[in-house]
Each structure stands twice: as C-alpha cells, then as structure tokens.
Amino acid sequence: MPQRLTLADALHHAREALAGGEAVVSVAVLSSDEDGPAAGERMSVWANRHEGTLGDVNLDEAALRIARTALGESDRPETHDVEAAGRRCTVYVEPHRAPPELVIVGAGHVARPLCRTGAMLGFRVTVLDDRPEFATRERFPEADEVRPARFDDPFRDVRIGRGTYLVLVTRGHKYDFEALRDVLHRPELPAYVGMIGSRRRTRAALEQLARDGVPDERLRRVHAPIGLHLGGETPEEIALAIAAEIVMVRRGGTGQPLRDRERVAERWVRSGG
C-alpha cells in the first residue's frame, strides 16, 4: 500500500509544477460513506506516477483515471464522486501546471497592448528588444520579464519550448526573419509562432527558409501574417487579433463566428420563432 501523502507534500508538488516543473493533479477526499476513506486523504498524480493513497487500491485506480483525464484536458478544479468495490467518496481534483509562456520579440507599439492582454489571459509574459530605452519595466509593467536582447542571438538565456507562444513584432522585418529562422532550426518547436508582416514579405521569408532547408511541415506551423482577420488598424486592435489567434490555437478553436457555427437565428426564423 502506498504511503499517505501529507498536505505539506501535496503543496510542495503543486509549487514545483507552478514553477515550471511537470504538471501534477492534486486529489483530496472531501467526504465519504461509512466504509470510505477519511476526509483529507490525498494523492498527487503525474502523467506516469503518483504518490499517496485514498486508503483503498480500487478507489486509487478510479481516482487515478479521473486525475489523468484532468491532467490532459482541464485547468479548473472540479469535484467528482468516486465509487469502487462498494466504497464511495467525493474528491476534489485540482490540476497544477506552469502558466503558458508568451514571448514577445520587439517592444514597439503592438507589443505594449499585447503584453497587457497576454497577462490578463494568464500567460507569463517575456518581452525582448535590443533597444534599452524600449525594453523597460515602465513600458511593460504587466510583463514577468523585460530583457535586452541581440537580434543576431535573440533567445540567449530565454527558454523556448513546446509550451511557448512566440510573437515576432520587431521594428524591422529582417529582425523578425532572423528570430524566425533561429526558432525553426530548433529541435522543438513552440506551441505557436507568429510573425508580423505583409503578404509579400511573409512569402519572401518563407521561400528563403525553404531554400535554407526548413521542411514544409515546419513552415506550415508559422502564423504569418500574424493574427485573425478582424479588420483592426490600431496597435490595440492588432494586438487583440494576435491574442485571439493565440487563444484559438491554444484551445483548439476554429476562429469561426459562433453565430455562423450555431446558426441559432437561422433555425429560430425557419421554425417560426
């Protein structure tokens, strides 16, 4: 039988996950029937292991299935009724994972509202620029990090992994291109990489990268020109279009208007109200 897990241990596991470690789900008993586990029994569940027990191997197996489903699908805490081998309990299930990373390369007019929006959406935001007067905490108070950078080596000391959402909005297309080339040659691609620019410049950049040997499947991962088509013109509107596309990619949306997707008005009119 696994050893009991203390509250201190469970909090330690959650803190490790939130600091960038492996995602974990906390499971704790809220209530149970007479033969069930005591309130407060708990488990920490990772993708391939767990610690703690609810006091019964059958309940543990049922709770593990629930926790691993939450690990892959949910960010929100939930309660679940668990029943196994005639025992019942209600458990509190809470996923813990590091916030997604939004890395903005370029600290110009679009970057400022995008930083604010990214922070509001729960991203850990890093802003990079090679101009000290632009890469300042005063311009980006919502950012977790504001770093000076060299665009010939833009991601030095910056972690870019499969959980990163990368936005290239520098002051010059050549800097965006250099950063894009850097990231496309890495073994692990970000969850999202978007580059600002016109259709003509985007096509020229992708053609050059293809000549440099970047595979087609990697080029197809690039969102360029960046953002959803909202018709925006101001920096704030452009930032909103970029943030909307990032949410679409992260959550598996389509970008289709819900009016067209659900067709409520059409069906209501057709049915005569």
Side-chain angles (χ1 to χ4, degrees):
M1 178 68 69
Q3 292 185 343
R4 294 181 62 195
L5 187 71
T6 68
L7 176 59
D9 288 335
L11 290 173
H12 175 70
H13 298 154
R15 284 195 296 267
E16 283 189 329
L18 292 171
E22 184 181 359
V24 66
V25 175
S26 298
V27 179
V29 175
L30 296 177
S31 62
S32 65
D33 61 15
E34 283 187 10
D35 296 325
E41 296 290 356
R42 63 188 71 248
M43 302 169 66
S44 290
V45 181
W46 294 268
N48 298 306
R49 69 187 196 281
H50 73 278
E51 292 185 18
T53 178
L54 303 187
D56 177 272
V57 64
N58 296 305
L59 285 175
D60 285 353
E61 288 299 322
L64 283 171
R65 288 193 292 271
I66 292 171
R68 291 200 168 115
T69 297
L71 192 63
E73 298 180 357
S74 178
D75 291 323
R76 295 180 296 181
E78 297 178 337
T79 58
H80 290 267
D81 294 325
V82 180
E83 181 175 357
R87 293 185 171 187
R88 298 181 181 86
C89 64
T90 300
V91 295
Y92 179 78
V93 178
E94 184 174 12
H96 304 284
R97 66 186 90 240
E101 300 271 349
L102 173 61
V103 176
I104 305 172
V105 184
H109 297 307
V110 172
R112 293 182 70 185
L114 182 59
C115 176
R116 291 195 297 270
T117 304
M120 182 181 67
L121 293 173
F123 286 84
R124 185 183 186 280
V125 183
T126 298
V127 179
L128 310 175
D129 203 286
D130 65 342
R131 298 166 293 179
E133 67 273 21
F134 279 75
T136 66
R137 176 60 60 188
E138 289 72 26
R139 282 175 58 81
F140 297 96
E142 302 88 357
D144 293 272
E145 289 189 75
V146 183
R147 293 190 177 197
R150 289 171 38 191
F151 287 144
D152 60 346
D153 188 12
F155 305 119
R156 179 181 294 181
D157 301 325
V158 177
R159 185 177 64 182
I160 301 292
R162 61 184 177 180
T164 304
Y165 294 76
L166 178 64
V167 174
L168 308 177
V169 286
T170 72
R171 67 184 183 280
H173 180 69
K174 67 176 182 177
Y175 302 127
D176 293 327
F177 176 79
E178 291 299 325
L180 180 62
R181 180 163 57 184
D182 180 295
V183 78
L184 289 180
H185 280 96
R186 291 169 177 255
E188 188 174 64
L189 290 181
Y192 171 94
V193 54
M195 182 178 71
I196 203 166
S198 67
R199 180 185 300 177
R200 178 182 62 81
R201 286 188 169 182
T202 295
R203 180 172 178 174
L206 296 179
E207 288 177 346
Q208 180 60 55
L209 290 166
R211 288 193 293 270
D212 290 347
V214 178
D216 287 349
E217 61 269 20
R218 288 195 157 219
L219 295 177
R220 293 191 193 102
R221 295 277 298 275
V222 179
H223 294 264
I226 197 170
L228 298 184
H229 183 263
L230 304 181
E233 297 180 356
T234 68
E236 290 77 12
E237 291 169 343
I238 294 168
L240 176 62
I242 296 170
E245 185 174 61
I246 289 172
V247 171
M248 181 189 72
V249 170
R250 184 183 179 207
R251 299 301 189 187
T254 65
Q256 181 184 15
L258 290 176
R259 181 193 64 180
D260 297 343
R261 181 181 176 88
E262 303 299 335
R263 298 165 58 199
V264 174
E266 179 182 333
R267 291 169 180 160
W268 181 78
V269 171
R270 184 183 298 164
S271 67

